[in-house]
Structures are given as C-alpha cells and as structure tokens.
Amino acid sequence: MITLPHYLTVSAALFTLGLLGVLTRRNAVNVLMGIELILNSANLNLVAFSRFGPGNLQGQLFAVFVIVIAAAEVAVALAIVLTLYRLRRTPNLDEADFLRG
Amino acid sequence: MNEPLRSLHRFWPEVVLTVGLLLVVLIDTIRARGRDVANWLLTMATLAAAFVLSVRLGAQSSGLFEGMLALDPIGIFFKLILIGSSLLVVGAFRFDGSRELRGLGQGEFYALMLAVTLSNLLMAAANDLAMLYLSLEMVSITSYVMVAYLKGDRLSNEASLKYILFGAVSTGAMLYGLSLLYGMTGSTSLPEIRQVLASGLTDANRLTVPSTSGAPTCTRARPRPSPPSCPWPPRRPGSRSCCGSSSAAWPWRAREPGIWPGPSTGRTC
Amino acid sequence: MSAEAVIFFVFAAITVGAAAIVVLARSLIYSAFALLFTFFGVAGLYVLLGADFLAATQLLIYVGGILVLLLFGVMLTHKLYDLNLKTEVTQFLPAAIICGGLFVLLAWPIEVSLLLPRIGRVRILGTLWQTSWATGSGRGPAATTEEIGRLFMGSYLLPFEAASVLLLVALMGAAMIVRRRKDA
C-alpha cells in the first residue's frame, strides 16, 4: 500500500540530491540543475499533499505557479551565466572571484 | 462572479503601475529623441499617481480577489513607504554625465523600477502562500536583473551571479518548507493556516524530529534559563514534578522535541 | 505487492536514480540527459497521484522548455571544439555528510532503535514519517483540468495575471542582460 510518506520520501531524496548538487558542483549550469531538483521536490510534496490530504486543488495550483516561476528564473540565470562566460571565458563558479574581500 | 470587479476598486495603485510599465516598454521601442525624458516623466507620474491612490484607499480592511490579498491599514502604510522609496530612487537617478551608465538603455531601468514596485505592493498585501511566493519571486527576479544592469562590468555580473544562485537556493528551501506547511494545515490561505495553528496542534501533529524516548515518564526538556523554578502554575499536589504540570498547562511548550538528549543536569522526576 | 506499488517503485527508482546521476555524473551532457529522466519520473508520479494536468505541464515546460534552455546553456558556455564537457566536484565529502544527515533526519523510512550508554534508547525515524499530516477526504482519480481552469479564472485570477507580468519582466531582463552595450 503506497501512502503519503512514500511520496514524501522520494521528494526528500530529490531535495537532498539537489542540495548536494548545489553544494558540490563547480559548473554554474550544473548548479542550476540542482536548483531544478529542489523545486521539483517541493512540487512533488505539494501534489502528494493535495492528493492524500484535504483533497483541494490548492497544492496543484501552487505547483503550476512554481513551474512558471522556475522557467522565468532559469531564463534570467542562464543569461547571467552566458555573460559570465563572455567576460571570463569560464562557466565555473569558483573562478568568479573578483568580489572576494 | 463580480468579485474581481469589486476588488478592482481597491486595487487601483497596482493597476496604474501595470499600465505605466506597459507604456514605458512601448515608448522605449520608439526610436525618437525625447523618449528617455518622456519615460522619466511617465515613471514619475505613474509612481506619484500610485502614491496618491494608495493614500485614498481608506482605512477599512478587506480581502481582495477572493482572499488572495489582504488590504488593511498597515498594508497601506507599507505600500506608501515602498512607492515613496521608488519615487526617491527614480527622482535621484541621473543618466547624464555618468561614465558607468553610458550606452545603457534607460527605458529598461524605468520598466524594472515600476515592475519591482508593483511586485513589492503585491508582496506587502499577499494573503495566500501561492501569492506570497509569486510576489517574492517577482521581486527577486527583477532585482537579479537590476543587479546585472551594468552590462560588461565584471563586478556587476559576478554580483548578480552570486545573488541569483544564493537567492534561488534559499527560495527553493523556503518553498519546500511552505509545501510542508500546506501538508500540515491543508490550506495555502494564510488566515486558514492561522486558524488551524491557533486551534492547537496536538503533540503528534507537530513536526517531530528523531528524539530520545528513554526516560520512563518525564519528558526531558532542555534546561531553560527562565523560569528557573516554575513559579507558575503552582505545583499541584498530584503532579509529579513542575515539569510535568507545566506540560499540562502549556500545550505549546509541552515537549520540546530536541535532537539533543537532555543532559543529566535536566529536571529530575 | 499491488500493481500501484510496483508502478510507484519503478517511477521512484527512475526519479531518484536519475537525480543521483545528475548530481554525480562527471559529464555535463550526462547530467542534462539524466535530468530528462528525472522530469519524466516526476511526471509519472504526478499521474499516479491523479494530477493529469500537472503531469502534462511538467512535460511541456520542464522537458520542452527548461531542459532545452539548460542544454543551450551547456553548449554556449563551452568552446565548440571542446569535446570533454567535464565538470569537477569540490568539497564532496562534507557536503555528502550534510545532505545524507538531512535525508536521514527528514525521511529515514525504517524505525531503528539504538541503546546508547548514558543517553538511553534512541529511536531513529524520519520526521516525515512521524508527523501526522492534515487529513481529509483525499482526492480520487478524477480529471483536474476543467477545475484548474475555472480556478485560474476565478479565485486564482490575480496570481495568474501577476505571473504574466513576471514573464514579461523575465523576458525583458534576459534580453537586456545578454545584449551588448551600444558603445561597445
């Protein structure tokens, strides 16, 4: 019998894997992939709660907005990463160190 | 069905800002001489109009758009502060004679200012988790773009890169928490969440972390600095310890589910 | 095991396994394609949860939009003749310990009881399994598209319109950032 905590466990695994990607990767595009994993885990949570919990659609609508926002955010982030590559010839985050004190 | 129309009566500042934003974008596409001056004037006029309209909103509290926004005096106060600060920024900004800003599009700056003001107003009044997250991200994404505004500047680029990565990760973690909040309360509307929380979650209904359950009856609490000897409620004769009676009287502070096991200096049963 | 459980575990394995490849693969291209499978797995879980509209949205926007955008990002941030799109990993061990601990704290599925000296019996079970979530009637497998459409035009009208402003700003901002200066 598949219950709510099963879905929550999958989503927690996605969340921690996304966090691991954000923390360890050097490449900016790869860090963005980790962020997408985190957003997907939250979406999975919302849909699972909507299915097993009160039965309203608020969670699913929230998830739709999250998807839209994720698309906008990735577009802006990639524009910034492309500018970084144009200016520095590298997509690696630890080589962007001008602002080091 | 008339709810949106009724809400519109108390939504004029945001409507004016949206119309001004679209007009600035349209004017910026015209290759005419005075378009920058026209954009500046239009932005100032829009912000001033939004300010005046916010002042005239009146003091009564109401929900707008079926509870998506809550308009009350403190919200209007924050709206005035936010619009006023945007007015100051746009009024104090000068493109002429600046070496850094040469060759940058001015229309985009004004459009971004209007957009960030609009999303600030929405955030100040948001009354639903979806609306809250949406307006928060609107403010963030607009700010990411504004930090990257100095094109070709390495510091600006690097600052915006760091800002967007930190911002995206932290809002992602916040979103995960918001989803758990929805799971606990079954609603995304802030008043409903407050109702559920105020009706008192039982101990089992709380987010519990892996805890020690070794002590026989007395739940181990971390030693709290105050009150040192539980002067109130007074110790009842039947109660076993002051820690036990306080857990009966204070359901909210009943059991601190701590990761750290209580040391041996904790309360004794 | 029922058919639903089998399907769930298949989709969950696809999702989590592909996500692990996204994070651990050395090649950026492998990461991007593993992300495709993660999105598919999550869409399958949505279908299992009865969210048909959201599953379609997930496929259209994530796979059709965001993933393609990320692939563009991979391609545009490397030289064309640079064939090994390798990416290094930094500080893997501390991050793995933190994330593993977080997962155990959140979602350790099987109850483990340890008897430690001086502390007593320690019960390890993830937070998400212990918490009793909001209960209700639940939602059976019914089509959601019509209801979601009505809600978008009804009580969710304002966020729906605000999202359009957000998309306009993001479009404008992304175009502004990548365009070069006039005098440059």
Side-chain angles (χ1 to χ4, degrees), chain B residues 3 34 55 68 79 87 89 134 155 169 171 179 201 221 240 244:
Chain B
E3 169 81 16
V55 170
M68 279 292 144
K79 283 186 182 194
L87 259 175
V89 170
L134 182 70
L155 293 181
V169 173
T171 46
S179 72
L201 296 176
R240 298 185 52 187

Side-chain angles (χ1 to χ4, degrees), chain A residues 1-87 89-92 94-95, chain C residues 2 4-5 8-9 12 15-16 19-28 31-32 35 38-39 42 45-46 48-54 57-58 61-62 66 69-70 72-74 76-79 86-92 95-96 98-100 102-103 106-107 109 128-129 133-141 144 147-148 151-152 156 159-160 163 166-167 170 173-174 177-180:
Chain A
M1 184 62 194
I2 301 300
T3 53
L4 178 61
H6 288 90
Y7 287 97
L8 297 186
T9 305
V10 174
S11 130
L14 275 184
F15 180 76
T16 42
L17 281 171
L19 199 62
L20 187 65
V22 168
L23 289 177
T24 57
R25 283 314 180 103
R26 283 180 69 205
N27 191 298
V29 181
N30 230 324
V31 172
L32 288 179
M33 293 179 190
I35 292 170
E36 293 308 316
L37 289 185
I38 291 179
L39 293 179
N40 260 293
S41 82
N43 269 357
L44 190 55
N45 258 354
L46 287 170
V47 178
F49 285 134
S50 177
R51 159 78 176 79
F52 288 101
N56 55 24
L57 277 179
Q58 291 176 358
Q60 293 197 21
L61 280 153
F62 198 167
V64 174
F65 285 116
V66 173
I67 292 178
V68 171
I69 291 165
E73 201 166 32
V74 164
V76 173
L78 275 179
I80 292 171
V81 174
L82 285 191
T83 331
L84 174 82
Y85 184 69
R86 193 185 286 159
L87 292 173
R89 289 285 141 198
T90 173
N92 286 344
D94 51 355
E95 288 168 51
Chain C
S2 67
E4 188 204 356
F8 168 80
F9 282 114
T15 307
V16 177
I21 294 177
V22 170
V23 174
L24 302 176
R26 301 306 292 236
S27 161
L28 264 176
S31 285
L35 199 61
T38 310
F39 291 155
V42 173
L45 290 176
Y46 287 165
L48 265 186
L49 286 166
D52 51 350
F53 177 75
L54 209 59
T57 313
Q58 165 95 3
I61 297 184
Y62 266 112
I66 294 178
L69 213 58
L70 286 172
F72 267 121
V74 173
L76 288 175
T77 53
H78 287 85
K79 300 188 190 80
K86 290 277 192 281
T87 163
E88 289 119 277
V89 170
T90 52
Q91 298 166 345
F92 186 77
I98 289 174
C99 293
L102 185 64
F103 179 76
L106 274 176
L128 299 173
W129 289 81
W133 302 100
T135 51
S137 53
R139 193 184 165 78
T144 58
E147 206 175 334
I148 286 178
L151 281 171
F152 269 138
Y156 279 75
F160 189 68
L166 169 77
L167 288 178
I177 290 171
V178 292
R179 225 169 46 195
R180 289 174 198 273

Side-chain angles (χ1 to χ4, degrees), chain B residues 11 22 25 65-66 68-69 100 102-103 108 111 115 118 131 134 138 141 145 149 151 180 183-184 186 188 204-214 261, chain C residues 105-106 119-125 127-128 130-134 154-159 162-163 165-166 168-170 172-173 176-177 179-183:
Chain B
F11 197 61
L22 295 178
V25 174
F65 293 101
E66 308 197 10
M68 279 292 144
L69 296 184
E100 283 179 320
R102 209 183 53 205
E108 285 120 353
L118 169 69
M131 194 65 222
L134 182 70
M138 278 172 81
I141 290 178
V145 176
Y149 184 66
K151 285 181 287 188
L180 294 186
M184 280 175 71
T188 59
N205 212 341
R206 231 182 295 165
L207 274 178
T208 38
V209 295
S211 58
T212 61
S213 59
Chain C
L105 210 62
L106 274 176
I119 295 176
R121 188 164 290 283
V122 177
R123 204 161 52 92
I124 299 177
L125 182 64
T127 303
L128 299 173
Q130 288 185 40
T131 312
S132 58
W133 302 100
S155 52
Y156 279 75
L157 183 65
L158 181 65
V165 178
L166 169 77
L168 171 73
V169 170
M172 211 171 63
M176 186 205 88
I177 290 171
R179 225 169 46 195
R180 289 174 198 273
R181 272 193 204 221
K182 279 174 203 154
D183 60 351

Side-chain angles (χ1 to χ4, degrees), chain B residues 12-14 16-17 42-56 83 87:
Chain B
W12 282 116
E14 285 87 348
V16 165
L17 284 175
L42 181 61
T43 310
M44 288 298 277
T46 308
L47 286 171
F51 193 88
V52 172
L53 287 169
S54 302
V55 170
R56 295 186 55 195
I83 301 175
L87 259 175

